[in-house]
PDB file of all heavy atoms in Angstrom:
ATOM      1  N   PRO A  18      12.265  -3.284  -1.109  1.00  0.00           N
ATOM      2  CA  PRO A  18      11.574  -2.711   0.056  1.00  0.00           C
ATOM      3  C   PRO A  18      10.142  -2.271  -0.257  1.00  0.00           C
ATOM      4  O   PRO A  18       9.256  -2.415   0.594  1.00  0.00           O
ATOM      5  CB  PRO A  18      12.462  -1.508   0.424  1.00  0.00           C
ATOM      6  CG  PRO A  18      13.815  -1.884  -0.059  1.00  0.00           C
ATOM      7  CD  PRO A  18      13.570  -2.635  -1.331  1.00  0.00           C
ATOM      8  N   GLN A  19       9.904  -1.758  -1.452  1.00  0.00           N
ATOM      9  CA  GLN A  19       8.534  -1.377  -1.804  1.00  0.00           C
ATOM     10  C   GLN A  19       7.643  -2.611  -1.926  1.00  0.00           C
ATOM     11  O   GLN A  19       6.465  -2.572  -1.557  1.00  0.00           O
ATOM     12  CB  GLN A  19       8.526  -0.590  -3.115  1.00  0.00           C
ATOM     13  CG  GLN A  19       9.233   0.753  -3.025  1.00  0.00           C
ATOM     14  CD  GLN A  19       8.890   1.656  -4.190  1.00  0.00           C
ATOM     15  OE1 GLN A  19       7.752   2.039  -4.393  1.00  0.00           O
ATOM     16  NE2 GLN A  19       9.909   2.013  -4.969  1.00  0.00           N
ATOM     17  N   PHE A  20       8.206  -3.697  -2.434  1.00  0.00           N
ATOM     18  CA  PHE A  20       7.450  -4.942  -2.528  1.00  0.00           C
ATOM     19  C   PHE A  20       7.038  -5.432  -1.142  1.00  0.00           C
ATOM     20  O   PHE A  20       5.923  -5.934  -0.950  1.00  0.00           O
ATOM     21  CB  PHE A  20       8.308  -5.993  -3.234  1.00  0.00           C
ATOM     22  CG  PHE A  20       7.679  -7.358  -3.302  1.00  0.00           C
ATOM     23  CD1 PHE A  20       6.649  -7.623  -4.194  1.00  0.00           C
ATOM     24  CD2 PHE A  20       8.106  -8.371  -2.469  1.00  0.00           C
ATOM     25  CE1 PHE A  20       6.066  -8.878  -4.254  1.00  0.00           C
ATOM     26  CE2 PHE A  20       7.532  -9.637  -2.524  1.00  0.00           C
ATOM     27  CZ  PHE A  20       6.505  -9.886  -3.425  1.00  0.00           C
ATOM     28  N   LEU A  21       7.918  -5.261  -0.161  1.00  0.00           N
ATOM     29  CA  LEU A  21       7.648  -5.754   1.187  1.00  0.00           C
ATOM     30  C   LEU A  21       6.742  -4.824   1.988  1.00  0.00           C
ATOM     31  O   LEU A  21       5.990  -5.281   2.853  1.00  0.00           O
ATOM     32  CB  LEU A  21       8.966  -5.953   1.944  1.00  0.00           C
ATOM     33  CG  LEU A  21       9.931  -7.012   1.389  1.00  0.00           C
ATOM     34  CD1 LEU A  21      11.216  -7.016   2.196  1.00  0.00           C
ATOM     35  CD2 LEU A  21       9.287  -8.388   1.400  1.00  0.00           C
ATOM     36  N   LEU A  22       6.811  -3.518   1.708  1.00  0.00           N
ATOM     37  CA  LEU A  22       6.160  -2.546   2.585  1.00  0.00           C
ATOM     38  C   LEU A  22       4.941  -1.857   1.989  1.00  0.00           C
ATOM     39  O   LEU A  22       4.293  -1.077   2.674  1.00  0.00           O
ATOM     40  CB  LEU A  22       7.174  -1.471   3.008  1.00  0.00           C
ATOM     41  CG  LEU A  22       8.439  -1.962   3.722  1.00  0.00           C
ATOM     42  CD1 LEU A  22       9.343  -0.785   4.048  1.00  0.00           C
ATOM     43  CD2 LEU A  22       8.085  -2.727   4.987  1.00  0.00           C
ATOM     44  N   SER A  23       4.621  -2.126   0.733  1.00  0.00           N
ATOM     45  CA  SER A  23       3.545  -1.379   0.071  1.00  0.00           C
ATOM     46  C   SER A  23       2.240  -2.141  -0.014  1.00  0.00           C
ATOM     47  O   SER A  23       1.364  -1.787  -0.808  1.00  0.00           O
ATOM     48  CB  SER A  23       3.993  -0.949  -1.333  1.00  0.00           C
ATOM     49  OG  SER A  23       5.076  -0.054  -1.255  1.00  0.00           O
ATOM     50  N   GLY A  24       2.097  -3.195   0.751  1.00  0.00           N
ATOM     51  CA  GLY A  24       0.858  -3.940   0.736  1.00  0.00           C
ATOM     52  C   GLY A  24       0.781  -5.003  -0.330  1.00  0.00           C
ATOM     53  O   GLY A  24      -0.278  -5.593  -0.545  1.00  0.00           O
ATOM     54  N   VAL A  25       1.891  -5.265  -1.026  1.00  0.00           N
ATOM     55  CA  VAL A  25       1.902  -6.317  -2.035  1.00  0.00           C
ATOM     56  C   VAL A  25       1.966  -7.686  -1.374  1.00  0.00           C
ATOM     57  O   VAL A  25       1.198  -8.592  -1.692  1.00  0.00           O
ATOM     58  CB  VAL A  25       3.093  -6.134  -3.001  1.00  0.00           C
ATOM     59  CG1 VAL A  25       3.117  -7.263  -4.039  1.00  0.00           C
ATOM     60  CG2 VAL A  25       3.007  -4.790  -3.695  1.00  0.00           C
ATOM     61  N   LEU A  26       2.879  -7.839  -0.423  1.00  0.00           N
ATOM     62  CA  LEU A  26       3.079  -9.120   0.250  1.00  0.00           C
ATOM     63  C   LEU A  26       2.452  -9.147   1.633  1.00  0.00           C
ATOM     64  O   LEU A  26       1.812 -10.130   2.015  1.00  0.00           O
ATOM     65  CB  LEU A  26       4.581  -9.418   0.345  1.00  0.00           C
ATOM     66  CG  LEU A  26       4.974 -10.800   0.863  1.00  0.00           C
ATOM     67  CD1 LEU A  26       4.412 -11.885  -0.050  1.00  0.00           C
ATOM     68  CD2 LEU A  26       6.497 -10.927   0.945  1.00  0.00           C
ATOM     69  N   PHE A  27       2.634  -8.073   2.399  1.00  0.00           N
ATOM     70  CA  PHE A  27       2.092  -7.991   3.752  1.00  0.00           C
ATOM     71  C   PHE A  27       1.091  -6.831   3.825  1.00  0.00           C
ATOM     72  O   PHE A  27       1.352  -5.768   3.270  1.00  0.00           O
ATOM     73  CB  PHE A  27       3.205  -7.750   4.778  1.00  0.00           C
ATOM     74  CG  PHE A  27       4.296  -8.781   4.765  1.00  0.00           C
ATOM     75  CD1 PHE A  27       5.535  -8.485   4.211  1.00  0.00           C
ATOM     76  CD2 PHE A  27       4.092 -10.040   5.302  1.00  0.00           C
ATOM     77  CE1 PHE A  27       6.538  -9.425   4.191  1.00  0.00           C
ATOM     78  CE2 PHE A  27       5.093 -10.989   5.298  1.00  0.00           C
ATOM     79  CZ  PHE A  27       6.329 -10.688   4.734  1.00  0.00           C
ATOM     80  N   PRO A  28      -0.039  -7.008   4.516  1.00  0.00           N
ATOM     81  CA  PRO A  28      -0.941  -5.867   4.731  1.00  0.00           C
ATOM     82  C   PRO A  28      -0.231  -4.748   5.483  1.00  0.00           C
ATOM     83  O   PRO A  28       0.511  -5.006   6.439  1.00  0.00           O
ATOM     84  CB  PRO A  28      -2.066  -6.470   5.575  1.00  0.00           C
ATOM     85  CG  PRO A  28      -2.025  -7.939   5.287  1.00  0.00           C
ATOM     86  CD  PRO A  28      -0.581  -8.263   5.056  1.00  0.00           C
ATOM     87  N   VAL A  29      -0.420  -3.523   5.044  1.00  0.00           N
ATOM     88  CA  VAL A  29       0.258  -2.386   5.668  1.00  0.00           C
ATOM     89  C   VAL A  29      -0.104  -2.278   7.142  1.00  0.00           C
ATOM     90  O   VAL A  29       0.728  -1.933   7.983  1.00  0.00           O
ATOM     91  CB  VAL A  29      -0.097  -1.084   4.913  1.00  0.00           C
ATOM     92  CG1 VAL A  29       0.473   0.131   5.638  1.00  0.00           C
ATOM     93  CG2 VAL A  29       0.425  -1.143   3.489  1.00  0.00           C
ATOM     94  N   SER A  30      -1.343  -2.602   7.472  1.00  0.00           N
ATOM     95  CA  SER A  30      -1.792  -2.460   8.857  1.00  0.00           C
ATOM     96  C   SER A  30      -1.096  -3.417   9.808  1.00  0.00           C
ATOM     97  O   SER A  30      -1.111  -3.205  11.024  1.00  0.00           O
ATOM     98  CB  SER A  30      -3.307  -2.667   8.940  1.00  0.00           C
ATOM     99  OG  SER A  30      -3.662  -3.959   8.465  1.00  0.00           O
ATOM    100  N   THR A  31      -0.483  -4.485   9.290  1.00  0.00           N
ATOM    101  CA  THR A  31       0.188  -5.454  10.150  1.00  0.00           C
ATOM    102  C   THR A  31       1.686  -5.210  10.264  1.00  0.00           C
ATOM    103  O   THR A  31       2.369  -5.941  10.984  1.00  0.00           O
ATOM    104  CB  THR A  31      -0.046  -6.883   9.637  1.00  0.00           C
ATOM    105  OG1 THR A  31       0.591  -7.036   8.355  1.00  0.00           O
ATOM    106  CG2 THR A  31      -1.526  -7.178   9.503  1.00  0.00           C
ATOM    107  N   LEU A  32       2.204  -4.223   9.561  1.00  0.00           N
ATOM    108  CA  LEU A  32       3.634  -3.940   9.628  1.00  0.00           C
ATOM    109  C   LEU A  32       3.995  -3.389  11.008  1.00  0.00           C
ATOM    110  O   LEU A  32       3.156  -2.773  11.673  1.00  0.00           O
ATOM    111  CB  LEU A  32       4.030  -2.917   8.564  1.00  0.00           C
ATOM    112  CG  LEU A  32       3.866  -3.333   7.095  1.00  0.00           C
ATOM    113  CD1 LEU A  32       4.191  -2.154   6.189  1.00  0.00           C
ATOM    114  CD2 LEU A  32       4.755  -4.517   6.766  1.00  0.00           C
ATOM    115  N   PRO A  33       5.237  -3.589  11.450  1.00  0.00           N
ATOM    116  CA  PRO A  33       5.676  -2.935  12.691  1.00  0.00           C
ATOM    117  C   PRO A  33       5.475  -1.431  12.601  1.00  0.00           C
ATOM    118  O   PRO A  33       5.639  -0.831  11.535  1.00  0.00           O
ATOM    119  CB  PRO A  33       7.162  -3.307  12.764  1.00  0.00           C
ATOM    120  CG  PRO A  33       7.285  -4.572  11.985  1.00  0.00           C
ATOM    121  CD  PRO A  33       6.287  -4.454  10.871  1.00  0.00           C
ATOM    122  N   GLU A  34       5.104  -0.808  13.694  1.00  0.00           N
ATOM    123  CA  GLU A  34       4.766   0.620  13.691  1.00  0.00           C
ATOM    124  C   GLU A  34       5.911   1.481  13.172  1.00  0.00           C
ATOM    125  O   GLU A  34       5.688   2.503  12.536  1.00  0.00           O
ATOM    126  CB  GLU A  34       4.373   1.060  15.096  1.00  0.00           C
ATOM    127  CG  GLU A  34       3.041   0.494  15.574  1.00  0.00           C
ATOM    128  CD  GLU A  34       2.635   1.055  16.914  1.00  0.00           C
ATOM    129  OE1 GLU A  34       3.356   1.917  17.437  1.00  0.00           O
ATOM    130  OE2 GLU A  34       1.584   0.629  17.446  1.00  0.00           O
ATOM    131  N   VAL A  35       7.147   1.081  13.442  1.00  0.00           N
ATOM    132  CA  VAL A  35       8.283   1.894  13.022  1.00  0.00           C
ATOM    133  C   VAL A  35       8.424   1.917  11.502  1.00  0.00           C
ATOM    134  O   VAL A  35       9.006   2.851  10.937  1.00  0.00           O
ATOM    135  CB  VAL A  35       9.582   1.370  13.682  1.00  0.00           C
ATOM    136  CG1 VAL A  35       9.976   0.011  13.105  1.00  0.00           C
ATOM    137  CG2 VAL A  35      10.723   2.371  13.513  1.00  0.00           C
ATOM    138  N   LEU A  36       7.866   0.911  10.806  1.00  0.00           N
ATOM    139  CA  LEU A  36       7.984   0.843   9.354  1.00  0.00           C
ATOM    140  C   LEU A  36       6.807   1.475   8.627  1.00  0.00           C
ATOM    141  O   LEU A  36       6.930   1.839   7.457  1.00  0.00           O
ATOM    142  CB  LEU A  36       8.119  -0.618   8.900  1.00  0.00           C
ATOM    143  CG  LEU A  36       9.367  -1.375   9.353  1.00  0.00           C
ATOM    144  CD1 LEU A  36       9.323  -2.814   8.851  1.00  0.00           C
ATOM    145  CD2 LEU A  36      10.634  -0.684   8.870  1.00  0.00           C
ATOM    146  N   GLN A  37       5.678   1.602   9.285  1.00  0.00           N
ATOM    147  CA  GLN A  37       4.484   2.097   8.592  1.00  0.00           C
ATOM    148  C   GLN A  37       4.643   3.505   8.015  1.00  0.00           C
ATOM    149  O   GLN A  37       4.131   3.774   6.921  1.00  0.00           O
ATOM    150  CB  GLN A  37       3.277   2.020   9.532  1.00  0.00           C
ATOM    151  CG  GLN A  37       2.845   0.592   9.829  1.00  0.00           C
ATOM    152  CD  GLN A  37       1.534   0.516  10.583  1.00  0.00           C
ATOM    153  OE1 GLN A  37       0.773   1.466  10.647  1.00  0.00           O
ATOM    154  NE2 GLN A  37       1.261  -0.637  11.183  1.00  0.00           N
ATOM    155  N   PRO A  38       5.340   4.447   8.690  1.00  0.00           N
ATOM    156  CA  PRO A  38       5.514   5.766   8.055  1.00  0.00           C
ATOM    157  C   PRO A  38       6.285   5.713   6.742  1.00  0.00           C
ATOM    158  O   PRO A  38       6.129   6.600   5.896  1.00  0.00           O
ATOM    159  CB  PRO A  38       6.295   6.555   9.115  1.00  0.00           C
ATOM    160  CG  PRO A  38       5.958   5.893  10.413  1.00  0.00           C
ATOM    161  CD  PRO A  38       5.830   4.441  10.073  1.00  0.00           C
ATOM    162  N   LEU A  39       7.108   4.681   6.526  1.00  0.00           N
ATOM    163  CA  LEU A  39       7.876   4.577   5.289  1.00  0.00           C
ATOM    164  C   LEU A  39       6.982   4.322   4.089  1.00  0.00           C
ATOM    165  O   LEU A  39       7.355   4.635   2.956  1.00  0.00           O
ATOM    166  CB  LEU A  39       8.918   3.460   5.407  1.00  0.00           C
ATOM    167  CG  LEU A  39       9.983   3.623   6.498  1.00  0.00           C
ATOM    168  CD1 LEU A  39      10.911   2.417   6.516  1.00  0.00           C
ATOM    169  CD2 LEU A  39      10.778   4.908   6.297  1.00  0.00           C
ATOM    170  N   VAL A  40       5.815   3.753   4.317  1.00  0.00           N
ATOM    171  CA  VAL A  40       4.909   3.450   3.211  1.00  0.00           C
ATOM    172  C   VAL A  40       4.504   4.731   2.483  1.00  0.00           C
ATOM    173  O   VAL A  40       4.297   4.740   1.270  1.00  0.00           O
ATOM    174  CB  VAL A  40       3.667   2.699   3.729  1.00  0.00           C
ATOM    175  CG1 VAL A  40       2.699   2.389   2.590  1.00  0.00           C
ATOM    176  CG2 VAL A  40       4.092   1.405   4.425  1.00  0.00           C
ATOM    177  N   ALA A  41       4.413   5.829   3.212  1.00  0.00           N
ATOM    178  CA  ALA A  41       4.025   7.106   2.601  1.00  0.00           C
ATOM    179  C   ALA A  41       5.073   7.611   1.615  1.00  0.00           C
ATOM    180  O   ALA A  41       4.776   8.502   0.816  1.00  0.00           O
ATOM    181  CB  ALA A  41       3.791   8.157   3.688  1.00  0.00           C
ATOM    182  N   LEU A  42       6.282   7.058   1.653  1.00  0.00           N
ATOM    183  CA  LEU A  42       7.354   7.490   0.757  1.00  0.00           C
ATOM    184  C   LEU A  42       7.452   6.621  -0.492  1.00  0.00           C
ATOM    185  O   LEU A  42       8.304   6.875  -1.343  1.00  0.00           O
ATOM    186  CB  LEU A  42       8.700   7.460   1.490  1.00  0.00           C
ATOM    187  CG  LEU A  42       8.788   8.286   2.775  1.00  0.00           C
ATOM    188  CD1 LEU A  42      10.148   8.091   3.430  1.00  0.00           C
ATOM    189  CD2 LEU A  42       8.531   9.759   2.492  1.00  0.00           C
ATOM    190  N   MET A  43       6.604   5.615  -0.610  1.00  0.00           N
ATOM    191  CA  MET A  43       6.758   4.615  -1.662  1.00  0.00           C
ATOM    192  C   MET A  43       5.671   4.737  -2.707  1.00  0.00           C
ATOM    193  O   MET A  43       4.481   4.551  -2.414  1.00  0.00           O
ATOM    194  CB  MET A  43       6.756   3.217  -1.040  1.00  0.00           C
ATOM    195  CG  MET A  43       7.895   3.028  -0.063  1.00  0.00           C
ATOM    196  SD  MET A  43       7.978   1.388   0.630  1.00  0.00           S
ATOM    197  CE  MET A  43       9.524   1.543   1.568  1.00  0.00           C
ATOM    198  N   PRO A  44       6.047   5.051  -3.957  1.00  0.00           N
ATOM    199  CA  PRO A  44       5.039   5.203  -5.020  1.00  0.00           C
ATOM    200  C   PRO A  44       4.196   3.955  -5.225  1.00  0.00           C
ATOM    201  O   PRO A  44       3.005   4.053  -5.513  1.00  0.00           O
ATOM    202  CB  PRO A  44       5.900   5.501  -6.260  1.00  0.00           C
ATOM    203  CG  PRO A  44       7.194   6.015  -5.729  1.00  0.00           C
ATOM    204  CD  PRO A  44       7.409   5.336  -4.420  1.00  0.00           C
ATOM    205  N   LEU A  45       4.808   2.790  -5.070  1.00  0.00           N
ATOM    206  CA  LEU A  45       4.068   1.556  -5.301  1.00  0.00           C
ATOM    207  C   LEU A  45       2.892   1.432  -4.332  1.00  0.00           C
ATOM    208  O   LEU A  45       1.838   0.900  -4.690  1.00  0.00           O
ATOM    209  CB  LEU A  45       5.001   0.351  -5.158  1.00  0.00           C
ATOM    210  CG  LEU A  45       4.401  -1.017  -5.484  1.00  0.00           C
ATOM    211  CD1 LEU A  45       3.870  -1.056  -6.909  1.00  0.00           C
ATOM    212  CD2 LEU A  45       5.425  -2.119  -5.263  1.00  0.00           C
ATOM    213  N   GLY A  46       3.044   1.927  -3.104  1.00  0.00           N
ATOM    214  CA  GLY A  46       1.959   1.871  -2.136  1.00  0.00           C
ATOM    215  C   GLY A  46       0.747   2.661  -2.594  1.00  0.00           C
ATOM    216  O   GLY A  46      -0.407   2.212  -2.426  1.00  0.00           O
ATOM    217  N   TYR A  47       0.968   3.842  -3.173  1.00  0.00           N
ATOM    218  CA  TYR A  47      -0.142   4.653  -3.666  1.00  0.00           C
ATOM    219  C   TYR A  47      -0.817   3.977  -4.860  1.00  0.00           C
ATOM    220  O   TYR A  47      -2.041   4.034  -5.009  1.00  0.00           O
ATOM    221  CB  TYR A  47       0.346   6.045  -4.057  1.00  0.00           C
ATOM    222  CG  TYR A  47       0.821   6.866  -2.886  1.00  0.00           C
ATOM    223  CD1 TYR A  47       2.163   6.889  -2.513  1.00  0.00           C
ATOM    224  CD2 TYR A  47      -0.077   7.618  -2.134  1.00  0.00           C
ATOM    225  CE1 TYR A  47       2.602   7.639  -1.430  1.00  0.00           C
ATOM    226  CE2 TYR A  47       0.348   8.367  -1.048  1.00  0.00           C
ATOM    227  CZ  TYR A  47       1.689   8.376  -0.697  1.00  0.00           C
ATOM    228  OH  TYR A  47       2.115   9.106   0.375  1.00  0.00           O
ATOM    229  N   ALA A  48      -0.007   3.342  -5.721  1.00  0.00           N
ATOM    230  CA  ALA A  48      -0.581   2.668  -6.887  1.00  0.00           C
ATOM    231  C   ALA A  48      -1.421   1.466  -6.477  1.00  0.00           C
ATOM    232  O   ALA A  48      -2.517   1.257  -7.005  1.00  0.00           O
ATOM    233  CB  ALA A  48       0.536   2.227  -7.832  1.00  0.00           C
ATOM    234  N   VAL A  49      -0.923   0.670  -5.538  1.00  0.00           N
ATOM    235  CA  VAL A  49      -1.682  -0.491  -5.069  1.00  0.00           C
ATOM    236  C   VAL A  49      -2.988  -0.049  -4.425  1.00  0.00           C
ATOM    237  O   VAL A  49      -4.053  -0.636  -4.657  1.00  0.00           O
ATOM    238  CB  VAL A  49      -0.828  -1.330  -4.096  1.00  0.00           C
ATOM    239  CG1 VAL A  49      -1.681  -2.401  -3.420  1.00  0.00           C
ATOM    240  CG2 VAL A  49       0.346  -1.972  -4.820  1.00  0.00           C
ATOM    241  N   ASP A  50      -2.921   1.016  -3.627  1.00  0.00           N
ATOM    242  CA  ASP A  50      -4.136   1.529  -2.986  1.00  0.00           C
ATOM    243  C   ASP A  50      -5.132   2.002  -4.035  1.00  0.00           C
ATOM    244  O   ASP A  50      -6.334   1.703  -3.952  1.00  0.00           O
ATOM    245  CB  ASP A  50      -3.767   2.667  -2.047  1.00  0.00           C
ATOM    246  CG  ASP A  50      -4.986   3.245  -1.325  1.00  0.00           C
ATOM    247  OD1 ASP A  50      -5.611   2.504  -0.552  1.00  0.00           O
ATOM    248  OD2 ASP A  50      -5.311   4.432  -1.549  1.00  0.00           O
ATOM    249  N   ALA A  51      -4.650   2.739  -5.034  1.00  0.00           N
ATOM    250  CA  ALA A  51      -5.548   3.246  -6.078  1.00  0.00           C
ATOM    251  C   ALA A  51      -6.153   2.107  -6.890  1.00  0.00           C
ATOM    252  O   ALA A  51      -7.348   2.131  -7.226  1.00  0.00           O
ATOM    253  CB  ALA A  51      -4.788   4.206  -6.994  1.00  0.00           C
ATOM    254  N   LEU A  52      -5.356   1.109  -7.217  1.00  0.00           N
ATOM    255  CA  LEU A  52      -5.872  -0.007  -8.004  1.00  0.00           C
ATOM    256  C   LEU A  52      -6.899  -0.813  -7.215  1.00  0.00           C
ATOM    257  O   LEU A  52      -7.872  -1.317  -7.781  1.00  0.00           O
ATOM    258  CB  LEU A  52      -4.712  -0.906  -8.455  1.00  0.00           C
ATOM    259  CG  LEU A  52      -3.832  -0.315  -9.554  1.00  0.00           C
ATOM    260  CD1 LEU A  52      -2.632  -1.219  -9.828  1.00  0.00           C
ATOM    261  CD2 LEU A  52      -4.631  -0.110 -10.837  1.00  0.00           C
ATOM    262  N   ARG A  53      -6.696  -0.946  -5.914  1.00  0.00           N
ATOM    263  CA  ARG A  53      -7.705  -1.639  -5.103  1.00  0.00           C
ATOM    264  C   ARG A  53      -9.016  -0.853  -5.088  1.00  0.00           C
ATOM    265  O   ARG A  53     -10.101  -1.439  -5.142  1.00  0.00           O
ATOM    266  CB  ARG A  53      -7.176  -1.843  -3.685  1.00  0.00           C
ATOM    267  CG  ARG A  53      -6.181  -3.000  -3.577  1.00  0.00           C
ATOM    268  CD  ARG A  53      -5.674  -3.189  -2.181  1.00  0.00           C
ATOM    269  NE  ARG A  53      -4.821  -4.369  -2.090  1.00  0.00           N
ATOM    270  CZ  ARG A  53      -3.766  -4.480  -1.312  1.00  0.00           C
ATOM    271  NH1 ARG A  53      -3.413  -3.472  -0.529  1.00  0.00           N
ATOM    272  NH2 ARG A  53      -3.054  -5.592  -1.287  1.00  0.00           N
ATOM    273  N   LEU A  54      -8.898   0.463  -5.004  1.00  0.00           N
ATOM    274  CA  LEU A  54     -10.109   1.285  -5.024  1.00  0.00           C
ATOM    275  C   LEU A  54     -10.874   1.098  -6.333  1.00  0.00           C
ATOM    276  O   LEU A  54     -12.103   1.010  -6.345  1.00  0.00           O
ATOM    277  CB  LEU A  54      -9.752   2.746  -4.818  1.00  0.00           C
ATOM    278  CG  LEU A  54      -9.237   3.150  -3.430  1.00  0.00           C
ATOM    279  CD1 LEU A  54      -8.788   4.606  -3.430  1.00  0.00           C
ATOM    280  CD2 LEU A  54     -10.306   2.934  -2.374  1.00  0.00           C
ATOM    281  N   VAL A  55     -10.142   1.044  -7.445  1.00  0.00           N
ATOM    282  CA  VAL A  55     -10.791   0.915  -8.751  1.00  0.00           C
ATOM    283  C   VAL A  55     -11.256  -0.512  -9.002  1.00  0.00           C
ATOM    284  O   VAL A  55     -12.399  -0.749  -9.396  1.00  0.00           O
ATOM    285  CB  VAL A  55      -9.834   1.370  -9.868  1.00  0.00           C
ATOM    286  CG1 VAL A  55     -10.457   1.131 -11.237  1.00  0.00           C
ATOM    287  CG2 VAL A  55      -9.489   2.850  -9.708  1.00  0.00           C
ATOM    288  N   PHE A  56     -10.367  -1.485  -8.767  1.00  0.00           N
ATOM    289  CA  PHE A  56     -10.679  -2.875  -9.071  1.00  0.00           C
ATOM    290  C   PHE A  56     -11.810  -3.410  -8.190  1.00  0.00           C
ATOM    291  O   PHE A  56     -12.717  -4.078  -8.682  1.00  0.00           O
ATOM    292  CB  PHE A  56      -9.438  -3.758  -8.861  1.00  0.00           C
ATOM    293  CG  PHE A  56      -8.534  -3.838 -10.052  1.00  0.00           C
ATOM    294  CD1 PHE A  56      -8.024  -2.699 -10.636  1.00  0.00           C
ATOM    295  CD2 PHE A  56      -8.168  -5.063 -10.582  1.00  0.00           C
ATOM    296  CE1 PHE A  56      -7.182  -2.764 -11.729  1.00  0.00           C
ATOM    297  CE2 PHE A  56      -7.332  -5.148 -11.672  1.00  0.00           C
ATOM    298  CZ  PHE A  56      -6.831  -4.002 -12.257  1.00  0.00           C
ATOM    299  N   ILE A  57     -11.733  -3.142  -6.890  1.00  0.00           N
ATOM    300  CA  ILE A  57     -12.613  -3.806  -5.933  1.00  0.00           C
ATOM    301  C   ILE A  57     -13.767  -2.916  -5.487  1.00  0.00           C
ATOM    302  O   ILE A  57     -14.903  -3.353  -5.369  1.00  0.00           O
ATOM    303  CB  ILE A  57     -11.800  -4.278  -4.714  1.00  0.00           C
ATOM    304  CG1 ILE A  57     -10.711  -5.262  -5.174  1.00  0.00           C
ATOM    305  CG2 ILE A  57     -12.697  -4.931  -3.677  1.00  0.00           C
ATOM    306  CD1 ILE A  57      -9.766  -5.689  -4.075  1.00  0.00           C
ATOM    307  N   GLN A  58     -13.463  -1.626  -5.225  1.00  0.00           N
ATOM    308  CA  GLN A  58     -14.507  -0.729  -4.726  1.00  0.00           C
ATOM    309  C   GLN A  58     -15.285  -0.067  -5.852  1.00  0.00           C
ATOM    310  O   GLN A  58     -16.399   0.408  -5.640  1.00  0.00           O
ATOM    311  CB  GLN A  58     -13.880   0.334  -3.820  1.00  0.00           C
ATOM    312  CG  GLN A  58     -14.881   1.262  -3.165  1.00  0.00           C
ATOM    313  CD  GLN A  58     -14.228   2.205  -2.168  1.00  0.00           C
ATOM    314  OE1 GLN A  58     -13.223   1.862  -1.551  1.00  0.00           O
ATOM    315  NE2 GLN A  58     -14.778   3.396  -2.016  1.00  0.00           N
ATOM    316  N   GLY A  59     -14.698  -0.026  -7.035  1.00  0.00           N
ATOM    317  CA  GLY A  59     -15.363   0.649  -8.138  1.00  0.00           C
ATOM    318  C   GLY A  59     -15.298   2.161  -8.023  1.00  0.00           C
ATOM    319  O   GLY A  59     -16.190   2.870  -8.486  1.00  0.00           O
ATOM    320  N   ALA A  60     -14.248   2.665  -7.397  1.00  0.00           N
ATOM    321  CA  ALA A  60     -14.115   4.101  -7.162  1.00  0.00           C
ATOM    322  C   ALA A  60     -13.898   4.857  -8.473  1.00  0.00           C
ATOM    323  O   ALA A  60     -13.346   4.331  -9.440  1.00  0.00           O
ATOM    324  CB  ALA A  60     -12.955   4.366  -6.203  1.00  0.00           C
ATOM    325  N   ASP A  61     -14.342   6.115  -8.470  1.00  0.00           N
ATOM    326  CA  ASP A  61     -14.073   7.008  -9.596  1.00  0.00           C
ATOM    327  C   ASP A  61     -13.402   8.260  -9.055  1.00  0.00           C
ATOM    328  O   ASP A  61     -12.999   8.318  -7.891  1.00  0.00           O
ATOM    329  CB  ASP A  61     -15.355   7.335 -10.362  1.00  0.00           C
ATOM    330  CG  ASP A  61     -16.441   7.901  -9.449  1.00  0.00           C
ATOM    331  OD1 ASP A  61     -16.109   8.453  -8.373  1.00  0.00           O
ATOM    332  OD2 ASP A  61     -17.632   7.791  -9.803  1.00  0.00           O
ATOM    333  N   LEU A  62     -13.273   9.279  -9.894  1.00  0.00           N
ATOM    334  CA  LEU A  62     -12.546  10.477  -9.489  1.00  0.00           C
ATOM    335  C   LEU A  62     -13.281  11.280  -8.428  1.00  0.00           C
ATOM    336  O   LEU A  62     -12.725  12.250  -7.896  1.00  0.00           O
ATOM    337  CB  LEU A  62     -12.277  11.353 -10.717  1.00  0.00           C
ATOM    338  CG  LEU A  62     -11.295  10.756 -11.729  1.00  0.00           C
ATOM    339  CD1 LEU A  62     -11.125  11.688 -12.925  1.00  0.00           C
ATOM    340  CD2 LEU A  62      -9.932  10.489 -11.079  1.00  0.00           C
ATOM    341  N   ALA A  63     -14.489  10.914  -8.092  1.00  0.00           N
ATOM    342  CA  ALA A  63     -15.194  11.587  -6.999  1.00  0.00           C
ATOM    343  C   ALA A  63     -14.660  11.165  -5.641  1.00  0.00           C
ATOM    344  O   ALA A  63     -14.926  11.830  -4.639  1.00  0.00           O
ATOM    345  CB  ALA A  63     -16.691  11.294  -7.084  1.00  0.00           C
TER     346      ALA A  63
END
């Protein structure tokens, strides 16, 4: 379920609305978001 709902396979924004709140419960979703910030945006701790 984390693979399907955390933005690995499907963009979170395209998930059915009833499933989107579940993403907040999934650690993998936070990790994918953080890695995108670092890998692509070049984000730092600021």
Side-chain angles (χ1 to χ4, degrees):
Q19 295 196 62
F20 176 75
L21 296 176
L22 302 179
S23 296
V25 179
L26 187 60
F27 303 105
V29 174
S30 59
T31 66
L32 296 175
E34 290 185 3
V35 69
L36 296 178
Q37 291 189 16
L39 299 178
V40 179
L42 304 177
M43 299 183 174
L45 185 58
Y47 293 93
V49 170
D50 181 64
L52 287 174
R53 282 180 175 145
L54 291 174
V55 175
F56 274 55
I57 300 174
Q58 184 174 330
D61 55 24
L62 292 179

